[in-house]
Amino acid sequence: MLSLALASVRLRWASFVGSFVALACGVALLATSLLVISATIGVPDQGRQRFSEAPVLVIADLNVDFTPASGGDVQPTQVPAQPGLPAGLLAAVAATGRTVEDHTFYAQLADGPRDQVGRAWSSAALGGYRLTAGTAPATDDQVVLGGGRPEQIGRSVRFVTADGPHTATVSGVTGAEAFEHAVFFTDARAARFSPAVGALAAFAPADAVRRAVEANGGAGVARVLTGAERSQADPHHAEVAARLDGVQTPLGLSAAVSGGTAVFVVGGTFALSIAQRRRELALLRLIGATRRQLRALVFREALVVGALASAAGCALGAVGAAPAGRWLVDHDLVPDGFTVPVTGWGLLVAGAIGLLTALTGVLFSAVKAGLISPGEALAEADAERTSRAALAFRWASGLLVLGGGIAALALTARGWPDAAASVADALALLLPIVAGCVLLAAVLAGPAIRLLTAPPALVARLRGRSAEDGGGIVWATARQSSLTAFRRTAATTTPVVLIVAFAGCLVGSIDTIDRAQVTETRTQLSAADLVVVPAGTPGLSRTVADRVRAVPGVQAAVITPTSLMAAVDDGQALVPFRAATADPAALAAVDRLPVVAGSLADLGPGSVVLSRTWPGSPAVGERIAVRLADGTPRELRVAALLGTGAEAVQAWVTDPDAVTGGVGGPALAERIDLRLLPGADRAQAAAALRTAVDGLGARLETPEQVWSAATDSTARDSWNALLMILGLAIGYAVITLANSLVMTTSDRRRELSLLRLAGATRGQVLRTVAVETLLCVAAGALLGGLGTAISVGGSWTALTALVGPTPVLVPWTVMGVLAACCAAVALPAAVLPAALALRGGDGGGILHGAAGPA
């Protein structure tokens, strides 16, 4: 059977081109994804880092021990904010020998980058900094600029810290370092800016340092790092690790979606090939081949195609690894300098999955081949066969999957609406909708075509003509052909449904989620008149808040971000939730939080206001156990509950410890919402506010500008991930569409010749093929739009329950463009083979019987 399979693939190569190309592309994407993912596992050596020259490094233990409610092993959980090292431990390690304390805090020059930091000069040598000009800072009013220019020495510079603006004189400059942008101060001034010690460099033997740490709290308080582990204390290392981790999920989803689409492509192509070869396979049965041998033949054909496609895909994946890395760098998804090495294991795994995909995709076709009877070889015509059992299976499977997806959406909207605000949960909910639409595409294509052609038919009836004459002979023939050629119509419609439904559901659901979050921000700011936001800085300093509060005629709600950690999944895990602090009176007066129980007036030290989606559904007055951002355990009383769940802030507190806990000094405010008091002049107040924040890294905006910025930000964050997930899957479906049309059109040479013998001109025949193709594409777009409406409507219903009235965003433009692209691909794929089939003259093809293999 292997030799027969090889001969079949060689002689009927045109039938396997689509499977080969799709599978090769799938393996190429999978190989590239595996290579990129392997490159993101573990942060590569970044060269010199903040503590490269420290032999031994002591840092605070960033984990808290959490014991699940059901028992079991203790789970170390990382805290959002780094706590400082205890004074007793600092003294104990200093007793072992020379130590250098690291004080790092926010300090940004007027023209400096957002991530600029201030540090003590004594810690500069730990990162390999060396003066290139000038001297070290000798007094508190002097600084050394990392990466500065010699001509800056002696100049006065202005910088901002968490407590406000300052000035200093540049005493020296160092060479630039890739891992940070630093400004160095005297040790005394750095300690005043940030009293907590984030890291301690020790020059004594590592064993002596470990003994000192163990004698003063041990692993629960601090960690001792040596060798390559020292990079873990560098924020640049953590930033790189987070960015690399961030691309793994969309890459994995992209590979999974593309792999599933590849199975669909291979399965569809082989199914169409089996349908076209029924008489050929029946002849094999007639001369003695068993059902098992036919199934083995189809499997071996898939094995041959899969092996060749996997080899080609691995080669393409190896070539595409470097461009994929550059694309990620260009879109700022990974740091500069990221490279993707080609590893043998990644290619081997991709090739093996490609073979498995080919065999999985052909499984149903092999079963169908085994059911062919010998008597079919004696049939005079290869009429299209669509059994009632096959139709029933399509209806049952499609309705089951689609109905399950709709039921899941309805249950989510009613019982767990907060799940709709999660992109990951939304993706899980939309996939059954897409799959159901694809399964039903074949049986719903006919009704969709009838619906699309109803208006011309109605006009024809009103004019006293038959419905088939509504658009002329070309229209009537194309309409009837698309309605009767079930297999060909299904093969054309299904890929279009996949493309339009998948893109529409994915883009529409994510856009609706993003807009719901913007809607919640808009609702919160509905009573605000003006907003102060950062301008080129990571946040707003204390001086900005003080100056804004001092402006007459305005009431200010200063919002500062923090975190609270709480147990989820019935106490099985500890996770951080985003929280914020604000004065409760100002918050109630300026912002509009949807309080459904309790009162913001009860918010004070030791209490909290929670979203209703908070784990455990606590009631007002109940005390809940949480951990602050630095891991400190607390019990807080629930003062009020909010009636929404899509918001970025899920807890409001006033406890100062929740803001200041950790290294780096006071926290920066995120935003200041302002409301004009009765009688205040808006123009005068706005002018006074602009003057108050001038030069402090802040600007005054209207609430409308804040909403627009939030919309743009969420769109940018979503689009790159969508490109990775969506792009190749749509590419595969386009390949399927083109291949199916080429196969079916080439196979209908006898039908086209009959049209010529019936009197149709060559142009009329080709126009008939074109109109039929466009009808199938339009039907697919209609069904895809229906799936999109179901998916986006379900997300919108759930989000409306969370945030109130919010716009529903159906990506009509995206779906329209994709439908047009499908038409642009389908037309030449159908018309060109038809034109080639008609080269023989006026209907001569019919005298030679049905077309054989190309």
Side-chain angles (χ1 to χ4, degrees):
M1 279 294 175
L2 181 59
S3 59
L4 185 59
L6 289 170
S8 177
V9 173
R10 184 176 67 253
L11 293 175
R12 300 186 64 92
W13 61 269
S15 298
F16 299 102
V17 167
S19 295
F20 175 85
V21 173
L23 194 55
C25 290
V27 173
L29 173 69
L30 184 60
T32 302
S33 299
L34 289 175
L35 294 175
V36 174
I37 290 174
S38 66
T40 62
I41 298 175
V43 179
D45 184 10
Q46 302 291 303
R48 196 154 58 190
Q49 296 191 8
R50 181 176 287 186
F51 303 108
S52 299
E53 304 300 320
V56 183
L57 198 63
V58 181
I59 64 170
D61 193 339
L62 303 183
N63 294 318
V64 294
D65 291 336
F66 174 74
T67 303
S70 60
D73 297 334
V74 174
Q75 298 177 2
T77 305
Q78 187 169 354
V79 297
Q82 181 184 358
L85 291 168
L89 187 143
L90 295 174
V93 176
T96 65
R98 178 190 166 208
T99 60
V100 176
E101 296 181 354
D102 180 67
H103 297 269
T104 302
F105 50 94
Y106 166 65
Q108 183 180 4
L109 297 178
D111 57 352
R114 286 172 53 95
D115 59 350
Q116 198 161 35
V117 295
R119 299 185 63 198
W121 174 247
S122 62
S123 61
L126 302 179
Y129 284 96
R130 299 291 184 270
L131 285 170
T132 56
T135 61
T139 60
D140 286 350
D141 62 348
Q142 292 183 336
V143 294
V144 169
L145 302 184
R149 303 182 304 276
E151 58 268 23
Q152 292 177 293
I153 296 176
R155 295 181 182 176
S156 177
V157 292
R158 196 165 185 263
F159 63 92
V160 177
T161 64
D163 63 355
H166 305 271
T167 57
T169 301
V170 179
S171 64
V173 296
T174 72
E177 296 292 349
F179 56 82
E180 70 180 358
H181 302 93
V183 180
F184 294 100
F185 300 80
T186 62
D187 291 3
R189 194 174 194 195
R192 287 196 296 273
F193 280 130
S194 176
V197 177
L200 181 68
F203 292 82
D207 290 340
V209 175
R210 287 192 179 94
R211 286 193 296 270
V213 170
E214 291 172 0
N216 287 268
V221 176
R223 299 170 57 202
V224 178
L225 307 178
T226 59
E229 292 179 335
R230 295 170 299 172
S231 62
Q232 299 175 19
D234 190 339
H236 180 66
H237 180 278
E239 176 193 353
V240 172
R243 295 179 67 183
L244 294 180
D245 289 343
V247 302
Q248 291 180 9
T249 298
L251 278 174
L253 283 173
S254 177
V257 168
S258 299
T261 310
V263 172
F264 162 76
V265 169
V266 173
T269 304
F270 269 95
L272 190 57
S273 174
I274 295 299
Q276 292 177 327
R277 298 162 55 195
R278 291 187 68 90
R279 295 186 65 187
E280 174 189 323
L281 296 174
L283 281 171
L284 291 177
R285 291 279 287 121
L286 190 64
I287 63 176
T290 64
R291 297 181 186 275
R292 181 177 180 179
Q293 287 175 322
L294 284 190
R295 288 194 295 266
L297 172 64
V298 175
F299 269 116
R300 284 171 172 77
E301 289 174 348
L303 185 63
V304 171
V305 174
L308 296 175
S310 295
C314 287
L316 289 173
V319 173
R326 288 195 295 270
W327 186 88
L328 293 172
V329 172
D330 292 341
H331 287 75
D332 200 30
L333 295 172
V334 294
D336 292 337
F338 175 76
T339 58
V340 183
V342 177
T343 57
W345 73 266
L347 299 180
L348 287 175
V349 171
I353 293 178
L355 281 176
L356 183 62
T357 298
L359 296 178
T360 303
V362 82
L363 182 62
F364 182 71
S365 299
V367 173
K368 287 187 65 177
L371 297 177
I372 295 176
S373 65
E376 295 186 34
L378 304 178
E380 292 185 3
D382 188 16
E384 203 172 285
R385 298 169 178 82
T386 305
S387 67
R388 291 183 178 180
L391 289 176
F393 173 78
R394 288 178 181 271
W395 275 110
S397 59
L399 290 175
L400 181 64
V401 175
L402 182 61
I406 294 174
L409 278 175
L411 288 174
T412 300
R414 185 176 181 84
W416 302 279
D418 53 294
S422 166
V423 173
D425 291 339
L427 291 178
L429 290 171
L430 71 86
L431 288 179
I433 302 295
V434 176
C437 290
V438 170
L439 289 172
L440 290 172
V443 292
L444 290 180
I449 291 174
R450 288 188 178 91
L451 179 63
L452 290 170
T453 56
L458 180 61
V459 172
R461 287 193 182 95
L462 293 176
R463 293 179 178 179
R465 299 157 59 185
S466 66
E468 286 73 16
D469 293 336
I473 187 62
V474 170
W475 172 265
T477 305
R479 178 180 183 273
Q480 195 62 30
S481 178
S482 63
L483 291 174
T484 56
F486 177 85
R487 190 175 66 208
R488 185 168 65 242
T489 299
T492 306
T493 304
T494 302
V496 181
V497 174
L498 175 62
I499 292 171
V500 175
F502 188 52
C505 291
L506 188 63
V507 176
S509 295
I510 292 180
D511 282 352
T512 301
I513 291 172
D514 291 342
R515 186 55 62 89
Q517 294 173 344
V518 173
T519 297
E520 191 148 21
T521 301
R522 180 174 183 171
T523 302
Q524 182 180 339
L525 292 175
S526 59
D529 296 299
L530 297 166
V531 183
V532 177
V533 297
T537 60
L540 302 173
S541 68
R542 186 186 303 163
T543 300
V544 172
D546 292 341
R547 290 189 180 182
V548 167
R549 287 193 184 103
V551 173
V554 298
Q555 188 169 14
V558 181
I559 299 173
T560 305
T562 184
S563 296
L564 289 181
M565 304 180 73
V568 299
D569 297 333
D570 295 326
Q572 296 306 303
L574 186 69
V575 299
F577 291 88
R578 181 164 180 184
T581 67
D583 176 74
L587 188 64
V590 178
D591 286 344
R592 288 293 177 263
L593 297 181
V595 178
V596 295
S599 172
L600 289 179
D602 294 334
L603 178 62
S607 63
V608 62
V609 171
L610 299 176
S611 164
R612 67 174 178 179
T613 59
W614 191 264
S617 302
V620 173
E622 183 178 340
R623 301 192 71 83
I624 61 170
V626 298
R627 288 182 181 267
L628 303 183
D630 63 350
T632 303
R634 278 292 187 87
E635 270 200 1
L636 300 177
R637 181 182 58 83
V638 179
L641 292 175
L642 304 181
T644 59
E647 70 278 352
V649 178
Q650 293 185 298
W652 294 86
V653 293
T654 61
D655 194 336
D657 292 339
V659 183
T660 60
V663 172
L668 297 171
E670 178 181 65
R671 198 178 72 218
I672 304 177
D673 301 338
L674 303 169
R675 186 179 184 185
L676 298 179
L677 297 176
D681 182 86
R682 183 185 180 93
Q684 291 181 355
L689 288 167
R690 290 190 181 94
T691 302
V693 302
D694 183 42
L696 299 179
R699 67 171 175 267
L700 190 67
E701 290 187 346
T702 63
E704 290 81 3
Q705 290 173 315
V706 176
W707 307 332
S708 300
T711 303
D712 295 341
S713 176
T714 52
R716 282 194 308 270
D717 292 341
S718 301
W719 189 245
N720 287 331
L722 286 175
L723 286 177
M724 285 191 282
I725 298 172
L726 194 61
L728 267 294
I730 291 178
Y732 290 158
V734 168
I735 292 171
T736 308
L737 176 63
N739 181 70
S740 299
L741 282 167
V742 169
M743 291 177 65
T744 55
T745 306
S746 300
D747 199 47
R748 62 190 294 199
R749 186 176 305 171
R750 183 183 180 89
E751 175 190 338
L752 300 178
S753 298
L754 278 172
L755 288 175
R756 294 285 283 123
L757 283 176
T761 65
R762 189 170 184 270
Q764 286 177 319
V765 173
L766 295 181
R767 288 197 297 274
T768 299
V769 172
V771 172
E772 179 184 344
T773 302
L774 290 177
L775 283 176
C776 293
V777 171
L782 178 63
L783 296 175
L786 178 63
T788 299
I790 294 172
S791 177
V792 176
S795 298
W796 173 78
T797 302
L799 290 168
T800 299
L802 281 177
V803 304
T806 185
V808 55
L809 296 182
V810 179
W812 299 114
T813 302
V814 172
M815 293 192 296
V817 169
L818 289 176
C821 291
C822 289
V825 171
L827 278 177
V831 173
L832 291 180
L836 294 175
L838 293 174
R839 285 185 308 176
D842 295 341
I846 193 173
L847 303 178
H848 299 88

